[in-house]
Amino acid sequence: MKLFKRVLSLVLLAAIVAVGALYWLGTRDDASTGPAATADAATLVDRGRYLAQVGNCMACHTSRGGKPLAGGTPIPTPFGTVYGPNITPDDKTGIGSWTADDFWQALHNGKSKDGTLLYPAFPYTEYTRVSRADADALYAYLRSVPPVSQPNKPAEMAFPYDQRALLAGWRALYFKPGVQDADAGQSVQWNRGRYLVEGLGHCAACHTPRNQLGATRASDALTGGVIPVLDWYAPPLTNDMQTGMGRWTAADIAALLKTGISAHSSASGPMAEVVLGSTQHLTDDDALAIGVYIKSLPATPASTPRQQSAAGAAAMELGGKIYRQQCAQCHQPQGEGSGTAWPALAGNPTVTAPVPTNVIRMVLDGGYAPATAANPRPHGMPPFGQILNDSDIAMLVSYIRNSWGNEAGSVSALDVKRARAASTLN
């Protein structure tokens, strides 16, 4: 009996030590800051304004019809809904009482001014790579916007995810704060591109698959993934020829970011919103730097398993007939498209993605590329969801995904039905 009690005591002690170590790892701060900003106030504000656009701050911190950066935007996650906070310089409801150090702590260590652990819906897992000088510029810009008195709405998380203390364990497993150091073996342009992609641009938030606890899978970085709740597929940014950016040049990527269109595809769904609110404002040099970095990524195939079922001969024949009736006038008989007005379907990563959701939803709902400064009146695609049934759309999409050199799986009427339901919800 004494031996049992002794063993039990040791087990409990080990458990306490393990929990304590996990909590320490999950709440630790990275003390390194790097050099602070040294520019004059006006230059700092202008720099911060640009960085806020690069980071797409408005998307999460400005509600529809609301005051800029006053918060309230619902951010749905599989674990509940988080609301973007007020980041105007209002003293009571915004960040008016925050210092530059407090703001740095939020970006770099994922903690609020009072030390509260922030939910990773705020992508501090990527923002931690941002330099202190850029954080100071962002802070200066946010201090310059009009203050808005608008209380923050608390997160609506399901149990046990509403217990913030548990975030310490999550952070211990999936978050390591630290500024990104330049790779001396790469060019200045490449390093700038990596800094934007992996830092403020937080591309991994959509283009990397997540595990069951909502963390991005580092081993599958930028290999594409379904965006939780929104049910859109963010394609791989790796250089696989079928599903990724293998057919693209750095200039093609820069063009998509700046204009919303390119020779290979056009931005749609959540990416169209990113182009509209963020990437169209990139300087030409920064857009090209992103393209250069992305083109250096390996030709890793998409991490999402491809649907393997081949389209039957009858489906391909009927799908081809529908294509010639409804689509060929714009996208051309061989899927080659028509300049940047109507994108090519041959070799289009939206079409050949392992998950067909995006192309199905485009056929269902139609849409426009984002209206950008470089392309203020984009051509649109009409919706076909009202004139084609689920079976027709399944055959049409199967035909598109398996013609002109495309080699993707077939699509079923059930796939279309699910996409139609998701489109209604979102």
Side-chain angles (χ1 to χ4, degrees):
M1 188 67 178
K2 289 182 179 180
L3 179 61
F4 173 76
K5 288 182 178 180
R6 183 175 299 177
V7 171
L8 182 60
S9 297
L10 290 173
V11 170
L12 289 174
L13 179 61
I16 292 171
V17 170
V19 170
L22 199 65
Y23 187 81
W24 176 82
L25 284 171
T27 57
R28 73 198 186 284
D29 289 342
D30 178 65
S32 63
T33 62
T38 57
D40 63 84
T43 300
L44 208 58
V45 168
D46 284 344
R47 176 68 178 165
R49 181 181 293 108
Y50 175 71
L51 294 171
Q53 291 174 328
V54 173
N56 203 17
C57 300
M58 293 280 282
C60 292
H61 295 281
T62 303
S63 61
R64 182 172 296 180
K67 298 291 182 65
L69 302 173
T73 304
I75 305 169
T77 79
F79 315 103
T81 301
V82 178
Y83 294 88
N86 184 342
I87 55 173
T88 71
D90 182 69
D91 286 336
K92 292 184 178 180
T93 64
I95 60 171
S97 64
W98 287 39
T99 66
D101 287 340
D102 295 330
F103 187 74
W104 168 255
Q105 174 172 258
L107 260 65
H108 192 66
N109 290 308
K111 294 181 181 180
S112 188
K113 177 186 177 182
D114 61 2
T116 300
L117 301 181
L118 299 175
Y119 284 113
F122 173 60
Y124 58 81
T125 46
E126 284 75 43
Y127 287 173
T128 188
R129 300 180 177 92
V130 173
S131 70
R132 178 61 195 254
D134 279 353
D136 286 349
L138 271 168
Y139 174 76
Y141 165 65
L142 293 175
R143 297 283 295 180
S144 75
V145 304
V148 178
S149 178
Q150 179 170 296
N152 292 309
K153 191 170 182 179
E156 299 170 352
M157 307 296 281
F159 181 83
Y161 308 109
D162 58 346
Q163 305 300 305
R164 284 188 185 255
L166 295 178
L167 281 172
W170 187 93
R171 290 160 57 101
L173 294 171
Y174 305 118
F175 175 54
K176 184 178 180 180
V179 172
Q180 186 176 76
D181 295 322
D183 185 337
Q186 296 286 349
S187 68
V188 172
Q189 185 182 47
W190 183 94
N191 275 293
R192 177 64 177 170
R194 182 180 67 151
Y195 176 74
L196 293 169
V197 167
E198 297 185 0
L200 271 178
H202 59 285
C203 301
C206 292
H207 292 276
T208 297
R210 295 178 181 270
N211 64 21
Q212 291 185 334
L213 292 178
T216 54
R217 300 195 322 237
S219 60
D220 293 320
L222 302 179
T223 57
V226 176
I227 303 174
V229 181
L230 298 182
D231 200 37
W232 279 88
Y233 179 74
L237 300 183
T238 55
N239 280 281
D240 181 73
M241 292 297 290
Q242 274 291 324
T243 61
M245 315 301 290
R247 302 173 190 266
W248 297 52
T249 66
D252 292 333
I253 296 169
L256 182 74
L257 295 174
K258 291 279 291 181
T259 70
I261 55 177
S262 79
H264 303 282
S265 189
S266 60
S268 59
M271 187 61 198
E273 296 176 14
V274 171
V275 172
L276 179 65
S278 176
T279 63
Q280 70 160 314
H281 303 291
L282 288 165
T283 64
D284 292 344
D285 286 346
D286 277 352
L288 187 59
I290 289 173
V292 167
Y293 173 67
I294 288 176
K295 287 304 298 179
S296 76
L297 298 175
T300 308
S303 55
T304 305
R306 181 188 295 277
Q307 294 185 5
Q308 297 296 330
S309 56
M316 288 292 288
E317 181 179 353
L318 291 172
K321 181 179 180 180
I322 297 171
Y323 179 83
R324 290 185 290 275
Q325 291 173 339
Q326 306 289 350
C327 314
Q329 182 176 357
C330 294
H331 294 286
Q332 304 304 303
Q334 298 303 311
E336 67 270 29
S338 181
T340 54
W342 292 282
L345 301 180
N348 187 320
T350 298
V351 172
T352 58
V355 178
T357 300
N358 295 10
V359 66
I360 293 174
R361 291 183 69 165
M362 285 299 295
V363 173
L364 283 170
D365 302 327
Y368 288 83
T372 59
N375 185 36
R377 295 182 178 179
H379 290 271
M381 175 172 167
F384 290 91
Q386 300 301 317
I387 62 175
L388 297 177
N389 62 35
D390 292 352
S391 180
D392 289 337
I393 292 175
M395 289 185 289
L396 170 61
V397 174
S398 294
Y399 174 78
I400 293 170
R401 282 166 57 84
N402 292 279
S403 298
W404 323 301
N406 292 342
E407 298 177 1
S410 65
V411 171
S412 69
L414 181 58
D415 293 327
V416 179
K417 181 179 180 180
R418 289 170 177 164
R420 197 187 287 270
S423 176
T424 302
L425 292 174
N426 295 318

